[in-house]
Amino acid sequence: MLDERPEAEESEGERGKKLKRKIYERELRKLQVGLCHLQEAVRQSGERVIVVFEGRDAAGKGGTIKAITERVSPRVFRVVALPAPSDREKSQMFLQRYIAHFPAAGEIVIFDRSWYNRAGVEHVMGFCSKAEYRRFLELCPRIEHFIVDGGIRLIKFWLEVGKPEQKRRFEARIADPLRHWKLSPMDLESYGRWYDFSRARDAMLAATDTEEAPWHIVRSDDKRRARLNCIAHLLHLIPHKAVKREAVSLPKRDRDRAYDDALRHRRFVPELY
């Protein structure tokens, strides 16, 4: 198994500060190379992997998922971010719409929010009954047992952001027109219910943090550190070796069928930049 964990290069005092961009980009590249090795190993072995990302609003789930997936193939790393259930889906078995997206051989499926919506936002906001909530907490570990027993590797990350940092991120979304789309009425409602969500988190962890499908908590007040720590731990959790690739050289272009292919007299986009 590859050890993708970066060497300790910072002092204890430096670790308490925001990670510098230069260090972040250097370490991220190393880890993304590791993800490419992991991708090839999973594709060749036919392993099936589910990675669940949960956490409070503005905890950094989207940025972490982007850092994982931006250099790998979407045919191996698939991201699933389901919208609110339709009326038809509301009448189905609760996990049914998630199961439809489970991985086939050689796939890693990343759930940006998951069936744990029921233990979080649905419970706190009253979108499900208390009986449905209690039944979920009771049945979820059993269902995850069958998922793991069926040969799927299930990895669950919870991104934990503190109150001051979450406040700062929400204020940044309000001030920046490029981030307005990230701020929904539900986000504002959840912001005011911090302790309700804390209690829901605690109950969820108590019921579903099992040996075969444990929760891995990522401190995310510093987004850069959170992304690096999460990717490094993901690589550590999935045993793999770097797959050797044969040396590749570009073939010569066939000149026998050459012609003037410069797209003359076609409509090109104005070059404003």
Side-chain angles (χ1 to χ4, degrees):
M1 180 177 67
L2 291 176
D3 187 358
E4 305 293 347
R5 300 181 182 187
E7 297 178 1
E9 298 182 1
E10 297 178 287
S11 67
E12 289 296 329
E14 289 174 325
R15 290 194 188 99
K17 301 176 183 178
K18 297 288 185 181
L19 188 66
K20 294 179 180 179
R21 178 177 293 276
K22 184 177 180 181
I23 297 174
Y24 167 71
E25 291 178 347
R26 184 186 69 221
E27 295 301 324
L28 179 61
R29 176 174 174 79
K30 293 178 185 177
L31 293 170
Q32 288 177 332
V33 170
L35 288 170
C36 289
H37 291 317
L38 173 62
Q39 168 181 261
E40 192 63 18
V42 168
R43 189 185 66 81
Q44 291 193 12
S45 68
E47 185 164 9
R48 294 172 292 159
V49 181
I50 291 175
V51 184
V52 168
F53 276 93
E54 293 288 345
R56 298 180 189 273
D57 291 318
K61 296 180 294 296
T64 302
I65 292 170
K66 181 180 178 182
I68 292 172
T69 59
E70 65 183 349
R71 298 294 185 181
V72 293
S73 170
R75 288 183 290 275
V76 177
F77 282 80
R78 288 197 294 112
V79 178
V80 177
L82 298 185
S86 65
D87 289 340
R88 180 176 182 275
E89 288 172 331
K90 289 177 182 177
S91 70
Q92 295 175 344
M93 184 181 72
F94 177 66
L95 258 76
Q96 189 169 337
R97 71 188 190 123
Y98 297 101
I99 292 173
H101 297 277
F102 276 21
E107 291 183 345
I108 299 173
V109 173
I110 298 175
F111 280 96
D112 184 356
R113 298 285 196 183
S114 67
W115 49 93
Y116 281 99
N117 276 344
R118 175 135 297 179
V121 65
E122 289 190 14
H123 167 58
V124 175
M125 296 299 183
F127 297 152
C128 67
S129 68
K130 291 182 179 179
E132 289 173 326
Y133 166 68
R134 288 193 295 267
R135 184 165 177 78
F136 172 81
L137 292 183
E138 178 187 350
L139 293 181
C140 185
R142 302 186 202 175
I143 294 171
E144 290 183 350
H145 167 78
F146 287 115
I147 291 172
V148 174
D149 193 54
I152 294 176
R153 187 184 297 273
L154 176 58
I155 298 170
K156 303 183 299 191
F157 286 111
W158 174 272
L159 272 61
E160 180 67 12
V161 64
K163 282 190 292 185
E165 180 60 20
Q166 188 196 52
K167 181 175 184 289
R168 189 196 68 78
R169 291 177 188 178
F170 273 129
E171 289 174 341
R173 292 180 181 183
I174 293 171
D176 187 352
L178 295 179
R179 303 185 194 180
H180 285 175
W181 64 272
K182 290 186 173 183
L183 196 63
S184 69
M186 189 63 65
D187 293 331
L188 297 176
E189 181 70 20
S190 69
Y191 176 81
R193 300 194 182 191
W194 173 273
Y195 290 107
D196 289 339
F197 275 95
S198 291
R199 291 187 178 92
R201 174 205 60 195
D202 295 345
M204 180 198 76
L205 293 176
T208 64
D209 187 12
T210 63
E211 285 296 323
E212 57 189 351
W215 281 100
H216 303 274
I217 314 299
V218 182
R219 296 189 185 278
S220 65
D221 276 6
D222 184 334
K223 288 183 178 181
R224 292 172 184 170
R225 293 183 191 277
R227 292 167 190 169
L228 298 180
N229 289 330
C230 190
I231 297 173
H233 197 57
L234 176 64
L235 291 169
H236 176 71
L237 289 172
I238 306 176
H240 65 284
K241 294 181 180 179
V243 177
K244 293 184 178 180
R245 301 177 65 93
E246 295 182 3
V248 177
S249 58
L250 291 175
K252 293 182 178 180
R253 287 197 171 105
D254 182 6
R255 299 290 302 172
D256 294 339
R257 299 174 62 81
Y259 73 104
D260 182 1
D261 61 348
L263 292 177
R264 303 182 191 282
H265 313 299
R266 296 297 177 184
R267 296 180 183 86
F268 280 84
V269 171
E271 297 184 358
L272 301 179
Y273 301 96

